[in-house]
Amino acid sequence: MLIFIFLVISSCGVSNEKYQKLQDDKMRAEQELNDIKFGLPNLLSDAKSFYNANDFIHAREKLNMIIERYPTKIESIEAQGLLDSINEEEMWIHANDITSIERYISKYTNGKYITTAKNKLLELTTQKEQNDYENALSQNSSSIWKSFILNY
């Protein structure tokens, strides 16, 4: 294809210098198009849209792109904040047992879900204690009662 273009240009009397200038202009135009398509404002807008739709995979991809391409821009700070929020959201989504909820509470002491996490932890620990008590009653052995007393 390039040879064909060269032959057409050669037969039209276009010099190599003019051809090179056209190639340079084409590359600049492609770069401008990429900057428009993947520029900072569009990347941030897309990332926020994905974040608001709970599409954290695509949001994280756009936010990382911002941080990599524009590390000195103020928007990188906002991007990092959104990444931190995504990490919290994902940790909360997987907080479904006592250990993971305790991990969430210790990491996000002022987190978005801290009150809910504390209430859920209280509910789960109370339920666990009740289950352990009922188990001790049904087993009614000294070792089980000893273990129950040591735990509670």
Side-chain angles (χ1 to χ4, degrees), residues 35-142:
D35 286 346
I36 291 168
K37 189 175 178 182
F38 299 109
L40 183 56
N42 287 339
L43 284 173
L44 189 56
S45 175
D46 289 350
K48 287 178 180 179
S49 294
F50 286 129
Y51 176 82
N52 290 332
N54 292 329
D55 184 350
F56 299 136
I57 293 170
H58 289 104
R60 178 177 274 121
E61 178 183 299
K62 298 286 183 180
L63 294 167
N64 283 327
M65 220 181 284
I66 290 169
I67 292 167
E68 288 170 16
R69 289 183 182 179
Y70 308 98
T72 60
K73 298 287 186 178
I74 191 89
E75 289 86 348
S76 286
I77 296 169
E78 185 176 357
Q80 187 58 57
L82 285 170
L83 279 175
D84 293 342
S85 293
I86 289 171
N87 292 336
E88 179 182 358
E89 291 288 340
E90 289 177 336
M91 186 174 223
W92 176 246
I93 288 168
H94 296 101
N96 49 18
D97 60 31
I98 291 173
T99 303
S100 59
I101 293 171
E102 287 174 335
R103 200 174 309 120
Y104 173 87
I105 290 171
S106 68
K107 184 165 184 163
Y108 298 102
T109 55
N110 295 314
K112 181 177 178 181
Y113 302 104
I114 194 68
T115 302
T116 306
K118 288 178 179 179
N119 290 337
K120 192 173 178 181
L121 180 62
L122 178 62
E123 178 184 318
L124 289 175
T125 53
T126 301
Q127 183 62 49
K128 183 179 181 329
E129 183 178 354
Q130 181 64 38
N131 291 346
D132 289 349
Y133 177 76
E134 289 173 6
N135 181 48
L137 272 178
S138 69
Q139 300 265 337
N140 202 23
S141 73
S142 60

